[in-house]
Amino acid sequence: MAPQSWYLIVSALLFGLGIVGFVTRRNSLVMFMSVELMLNAANLVFVAAARDHVPARGSACALFVIAVAASEVAVGLALVLALFRLKKSVDSDAVRELRA
Amino acid sequence: MNDPLLVLLIGGPLAAALLLALLPGLRPEPARLLTLLVTLATFAASLPLLATDAGGGMTHGFDAPWIAEFGIRFSLGVDGIAAPLVVLTTLLMPLVVLASYGHVHDRVRQYGVLLLAMEAGMIGVFAAQDLVLFYVFFEMSLVPLYLLIGVYGGARRTYAALKFFLFTVAGSLPLLLAILWLVQRAGSADLAVLKQLPLAPGEQGWLFAAFAAAFCVKVPLVPLHTWLPDAHVEAPTGGSVILAGVTLKMGTYGLLRFCLPLFPDASVRHAPLLLALAVIGILYGALLAWAQKDLKKIIAYSSVSHLGFVVLGLFAVQTTAASGAVLQMVNHGLSTGALFLLIGMIYERAHTRQLADFGGLARTMPRFAVCLVLATLSSIGVPGLNGFVGEFLILIGTWRDHPVAAGCASVGVLLGAIYMLGLVKGLLFGPIVHPKTATWRDLNSRELLLLAPLFALMFAIGFAPKALLDRIEPPVQRMLEAPRLVQERR
Amino acid sequence: MTALLAAGIAVTTALAAPPAAAEPAWLMLIKVLVAFGITMTIVPLLVLAERRVSAWMQYRVGPNRVGIGGSLQPMADLVKMLFKEELRPDGVPPFLFGAAPAIAAICSLSMMAVVPFGGTLELDGRSIPLVVADADIGVLAVLALSSIGVYGITLGGWASNSKYSLLGGLRSSAQMISYELSLGIALLGVLVVSGSFESGSFRLSEIIRFQAESGAWNVLRLPLGFALFTIAVFAETNRLPFDLPEAEPELVGGYHTEYSSMRFGLFFLGEYAAMVAGSSVIVCLFLGGWHCPWLATEAVVGPGGALVQVAVFLAKVLAFLFFFIHVRWTLPRLRYDQLMKFGWTWLLPLSLLNLLWAGAHAALGWF
Amino acid sequence: MLSERTAFLIFSVIALIGAVNVITRRHPVHAALWLVGTFLGVAGLFLTLGAGLLGAIQVMVYAGAIMVLFLFVILLLNLDAPPDEGLSFARGASLLAAVATLALIALPLARAPELRAAATPESPVADASAGQVANVLFTRYALPFEVVSLLLLIAMVGAIHLARRPRRDETV
Amino acid sequence: MSTVGALLLGLPLAAATLIGILHRRLSTRTAGTLAFAMAATCFGLAVAAFTHLRGLPEDARHVAATFWSFLELGRGDAALTLDVGVWLDPLSVTWALFITGVGSLIFLYSISYMEHEAGGARYFACLCLFLFSMLTLVLGKNLFLTFLGWEGVGLCSYLLIGFEYGKETAAQAGRKAFLVNRIGDVGFLLGMFWTWKLFGTLEHGELTPKLAAGLAAGIALPPLLALCYFVGACGKSAQLPLFVWLPDAMAGPTPVSALIHAATMVTAGIYLLCRLSSLFVAADWALDVVAFTGAATALFAGLIALRQRDIKRVLAYSTVSQLGYMFLACGLGAFASSAFHVVTHAFFKALLFLGSGAVIHALHGEQDLWKMGGLKHHLPKTAFAMRIGAFALAGIAPFAGFFSKDEILGVAFARAYAGDPACWVLWGAGVLTAALTAFYSARMITLCFDGSSRLDAHSHPHEAPAPMAIPLNVLAVLSLVGGIGLGFEALHWLPLHHWLAPTLAPLDLPPLPGALLWGLMTLAFLIAVLFWRIGAKWYSGDCEPARAAELTFPRFAGALAGRFFVDEIYGALIVRPLRFLAALALQFDVRVVDGAARGLGQFAALVGTGVRIVQNGTVQRYAFWMVAGAIALLWLALG
């Protein structure tokens, strides 16, 4: 059984990579993917931490996170689609102007 | 012993305003008629306020709990100082409505709503015996006037209305802080309680500064006066009359009712500063009035000068001077009110307010000439009319302790004559300038009816001020008790 | 070359999937090989059977030249597959082009890991459950692998760098996803009914044991569930009447038009393996797996009993496969929008209804 | 059977490499596929942690549904690799992100010494099998469960409405 | 007695308001007769009051009557009680007498004078109002009412001077008169405040005895207090610094000039000085200031009068000069003799003004002396009356002017003789002015009536109608009799000094020896006659204006004609800088004070633009800040 800290380290790395992806990449889809990465890292922490207490709860929480992530992606991608239809590109810099 | 009269005086116009607001279908004429009737009824109802005299104490008291936990009560009451001002307000209102027949033709109903709401607010200000209630009415009376100037005003009305609003609100913020501090310390917002509250000199200093800031903007005292000319020039005639007639008095009333009794040490300590500002106000205002080209601006700056006298009277901490100041408040309301009404009438005909455009009106409009000369004489303080009595009392009272200030102020009387007679000569005498002078018809009976009460009161106060002064003096005496003691010790 | 690599990976994933089983490594290896071997033998037979049965149904003979009555035809196809030239259109991502068919194949093959061929085999004192990895999540693994399978087809369509195959890939994956939904819910129906098991795990062997003990196969309890599940499996494996994506006239073969030789072979293998796996899952869930009502398989002692169970299980699977092929040549092909409409507006509500029915059944404990 | 530690190592390596590639790959489809790899890696980690149900669901939902959705969008929009994409907004952001990850790792360890304790005892305390998770899910977290279901419904409706191609009589 | 006082004040006010309200419907004639009737009754009442006071014993010769209490304020020493009432004492009754007397004559005169003027009713309303104010001033019970009258009179002069408001000059002159008066009024006001502060009362009844007691006890009062009142007096009686308004006031109709700028209003200053005589004496060097200003004004005005072309301006400057004489008398402590000169001056100056009015009336508005000449043939009666008035003005023996002027010179000589060297200068100035007066009055009479006729062709002057002639004749008689009747000790009929003594401060001056006295009188008489002869001869015959001009000192002539450019100097020194200051204040107000308020607004907008840069729409930027924020929070939480 690998010690819990290892899991935390891996999830921290995953989360860090997620942040890098989210902050640096201009393509909105890749940004979405980075968000998924971060969510996964969070799930990992949930389950890893729960293992020493009540494992089931960790999974339950992770389940909720997955559900939320799924709905987030659904709506997010719908928005990207609508955005693409408007701007002909998914580059997040394309939607820079604050006025209509 | 709750006497419902004051609640009626405030509630009546407010209810009427609400009613008018909720009747969009009402045609202009009946709406204006309703406004007139309500204002007349309020005036009639307000007369007994003057009649009863409780030796300086509070009459027509009405007291009900409002916000219990902070000790804030809905308490109203009127004494010798407030009664004349309330009656002045209720008197000017019907005149303003009558005047509006001449120049307000569209959105008449809303005009009525604003006037009635303003009247309620102003009576509330003068009748409030609770500090927080006073502040509420103080702000409430501000909004209708802002709208009045903003909607019915002249060319740059939005700028002027906003400037007026910002000046007053900025002034009243420190007031709010001070009130909250006081109420929190004293546990109650009632004036009587607050008077006995022992305040440390330092604390009293900044509280006085906060109160004075709000009221000096309203007076307006010199450095804070730049909103007045703009507000007057852009306001409709009715707005100007109310603005000059009553709104400015709220500032001086506040100084007398709150600053002097609640913070005696600070008032006496700051008295020289305020006296200096008052004298500057008188001379500076007069000079500016002389340099103006626009009729309304001349009268506006004359108001700055006249109210400089009132502040002078208040802070000389002398019963004679203070009574004179209160009397002068009423006088200024009458004379400047009349002047603004007259200028309004001329503006209705000539649609220009530049002095240079006029000349030789006396020949074509004799009645107007007589009225204007009368109003001017009252304004510059010619004996036999009300203006002189007020100024005389203020100056004679101030001379006792501050001869130099009184000396300089009396020069203001001279300057006053200069610019006012300049105005009269420009308008009435000399050759005819405006091509269409002949076409303007003289004052009709409505307009004369409008001015009659004002002139009647001017002569009445001019010849027999005793009736009014006896009503004013005791409460003033009571207000100045604390500062007088401090003055004596010094 | 990549194909072989892909096959190897398939085996390791099957191994890794169910780590919970604490058996010695070599026994696990033997089981995998046995399961892999059974599948690999059934698939060519299936291909041959399909062509013979369809021919029989259409009053024609079918392949009978190679071997006795065409029995060696699959060998011939295999040889053809291996030695044909591997074409690859230009502008195509090489790795993905090769990986796509492998993914499809891997997923289908790995599904067999979870399927219990028989009961337990007592051999020199060691009782060996006749299943590669009786994973706690059993049935869920099937679902998971089937959803991974979608990738094979989507990537296949995309990697071949042509509009038609892209559209074909998209349509087929859309179809599979839609029907995966009703597949899952129908599966739930079964679990709810056979939910009397205590530890709440999804093991297929326990479902079979439940059917054996209760004496009635699930198909009798959930006839609607059975029908829905089979339709969904048909859709999952892109079999007629749902094999629209590659057969569409304007799409010309759908996602595997650009594929040739062994890559096409892998796709082909994947498809048929999916059929085998699908039918075996159906058999386990609804037709009592290796259980045979009147033949008390447990009574027969020794290896013979297990073999009988495996035989019964294989018989059922072959029968079902026959049914697969039979349907292919009887029902017409559905148009794409009808297909999607049927999937969402008919199948989904019915499966919810079935779930309701199963819930009521479990709660009231009919039988 | 493989020891759990090695499984942990393999899967975490898969996950991390996948993650790195997700953010470095210029072509969105490649990024998406690497993401699938990461998801499978993480699913494996779940399995090593004994959360079998979660692993399956992770595969089924994340890898199976969400990534397919991503692929769908990428393919539908027919996106190709933008020319100079790569790691734009370079130095500042990545530096910051690096600091962030370090902070996330270093700080908890520095602060919570017990985390650095030796490996916990070998025997798995209790597996988070489907049954136990179900028990917890429908008793303790019943309300969140209902709320999430509602959320999913809303998300579905929202997504459909947003992504719907406007009919001729509608304007966007 | 109080009813007499009430009526004295009430009647003019009632008349004024009545005519004022009905002035549309009243013709000039009816309004005039009504006003004259009112004035006559007032004169009757004044006489009644006079006889009543004569009946009272010497020391209790005053009657007080209050009508209603004006106001009561304050308590203890700061108490201020003012009430409206009447205070009749020898001083006020004397003034009332000649005001109402001369006033009613002028009312009668102006009925016919204003016959064909437009707005005659308004004119008479103002005149009645003027009479009311003048009587309030004189009969007022306290200084407050005196001040009320004081300003009221100023107001009426403003209205009457600007009667023909169409003419720019009239409007301008009216305004100027009111403003200059106002300057004086401010002085009076300050004096009043100071008096109330020192004595706590403004009632004449209480103030005069207090002042007298103070004087007797030798308590010195601050000279500035007296000077405040003196400034007021100067403003009203047109003394040196503030006399500019009087000559311009001639723009008004002639009867107005006669009434206001000769007989009544200008004497108010003297009345004030006499009323507060003990205050002035107690304020040590205040009286010297009064004396010197008086002398200077007399001399200065006399010089200017020499070269005036307009007949009314000559008279105006002569009035200023004679007032200088009165102030000189007060300055020397001889309040009674100055009062005597006031009375006599009222008679002959009113006569001269009315006469000139008749002349102008006859010549249809022509006022330039150089366009008259030889009028004695056309207007014999007016010429005769004017000649008597001129003799009185010049101070020729039997006429009134001689006695009052001589008395003042006598007092000046006596004081100098008694050892006050400064008084020699005063006496010298007095004599010189007397000479000048004789010269210009002769000039006026000869230019106007004698000499060759310089009338333009088509004007044919006719004698003044009856209502204008009667006042002329009455005044002529008074100018003749006045001097002897009132002043001459010997007759004891109505010695003014004796009559006014109780109310005025006593004059401590050793009487001159008899011989010296008579010598002085003859000297004065000789000077007057001599200079009259020179003047008459100089301007008789057909002298052309040019010859006449260069005859006098040429260089000097410009200054005289231009009235020493006093108006221009005032304009430059006071009006222009004040106007510049006003413009400066306006700019300051708009730029600085208003600017500060607007500046505050712009500052807020500036801050706004600063903050806007942070929000620029790129998602990355937001993400970056979000993460940075998260780290910071983390650091805080765990740090």
Side-chain angles (χ1 to χ4, degrees), chain B residues 383-407:
Chain B
L385 283 167
N386 57 356
F388 173 70
V389 179
E391 267 163 29
F392 175 76
L393 287 177
I394 290 175
L395 289 175
I396 202 164
T398 316
W399 182 273
R400 280 187 76 81
D401 299 334
H402 311 277
V404 171

Side-chain angles (χ1 to χ4, degrees), chain E residues 463-478:
Chain E
E463 191 49 274
M468 288 171 79
I470 298 165
L472 285 178
N473 303 339
V474 168
L475 283 172
V477 166
L478 279 175

Side-chain angles (χ1 to χ4, degrees), chain D residues 70-94:
Chain D
F70 260 103
L71 270 181
F72 255 46
V73 169
I74 295 171
L75 299 185
L76 266 180
L77 301 184
N78 197 358
L79 299 177
D80 50 9
D84 61 354
E85 248 283 0
L87 272 180
S88 80
F89 197 56
R91 290 307 154 275
S94 34

Side-chain angles (χ1 to χ4, degrees), chain E residues 337-410:
Chain E
S337 43
S338 89
F340 177 37
H341 192 56
V342 161
V343 173
T344 53
H345 175 270
F347 296 149
F348 58 75
K349 191 47 70 59
L351 171 58
L352 284 173
F353 261 108
L354 294 185
S356 63
V359 164
I360 295 167
H361 189 70
L363 300 177
H364 306 298
E366 182 46 65
Q367 296 190 345
D368 189 344
L369 281 170
W370 293 105
K371 291 210 174 48
M372 301 178 189
L375 284 176
K376 65 173 183 262
H377 313 300
H378 306 289
L379 309 163
K381 282 204 284 304
T382 323
F384 174 73
M386 285 278 280
R387 211 174 288 278
I388 293 174
F391 286 153
L393 176 61
I396 295 169
F399 298 96
F402 167 75
F403 296 98
S404 52
K405 197 178 292 181
D406 174 60
E407 225 175 282
I408 296 171
L409 293 182

Side-chain angles (χ1 to χ4, degrees), chain B residues 90-266:
Chain B
T90 51
L91 169 69
L92 284 180
M93 269 305 167
L95 304 186
V96 164
V97 176
L98 258 176
S100 74
Y101 276 90
H103 63 282
V104 173
H105 301 301
D106 53 358
R107 278 202 282 271
V108 171
R109 187 171 57 78
Q110 289 84 339
Y111 193 78
V113 171
L114 289 179
L115 283 185
L116 288 170
M118 194 151 58
E119 179 171 18
M122 284 188 284
I123 297 175
V125 161
F126 294 126
Q129 290 307 318
D130 179 293
L131 210 52
V132 171
L133 186 63
F134 167 78
Y135 186 78
V136 165
F137 281 121
F138 187 79
E139 293 301 315
M140 186 182 126
S141 67
L142 184 65
V143 172
L145 194 54
Y146 166 73
L147 288 174
L148 210 60
I149 299 175
V151 170
Y152 295 87
R156 280 166 62 242
R157 53 179 180 276
T158 33
Y159 166 75
L162 189 60
K163 186 171 185 179
F164 155 69
F165 195 77
L166 285 183
F167 257 87
T168 327
V169 168
S172 66
L173 283 187
L175 175 65
L176 181 58
L177 287 180
I179 290 179
L180 294 182
W181 171 265
L182 267 177
V183 170
Q184 163 261 341
R185 248 175 74 85
S188 137
D190 191 58
L191 270 181
V193 168
L194 288 175
K195 263 191 199 138
Q196 274 84 30
L197 191 67
L199 289 167
E203 187 186 5
Q204 217 181 68
W206 74 265
L207 280 175
F208 174 79
F211 269 73
F215 295 136
C216 286
V217 165
K218 202 82 172 172
V219 164
L221 218 51
V222 171
L224 309 167
H225 67 292
T226 47
W227 60 274
L228 187 68
D230 293 329
H232 268 308
V233 165
E234 302 306 333
T237 323
S240 284
V241 169
I242 293 301
L243 181 63
V246 182
T247 318
L248 302 190
K249 306 309 178 304
M250 287 194 222
T252 45
Y253 171 76
L255 285 174
L256 179 58
R257 171 76 74 199
F258 299 105
C259 286
L260 284 167
L262 294 184
F263 319 110
D265 304 307

Side-chain angles (χ1 to χ4, degrees), chain C residues 140 143-144 147-148 180, chain D residues 54-66:
Chain C
L140 264 188
L143 268 182
S147 61
I148 296 292
E180 195 180 302
Chain D
L54 200 60
I57 289 181
Q58 161 90 352
V59 167
M60 199 165 68
V61 172
Y62 258 122
I66 294 181

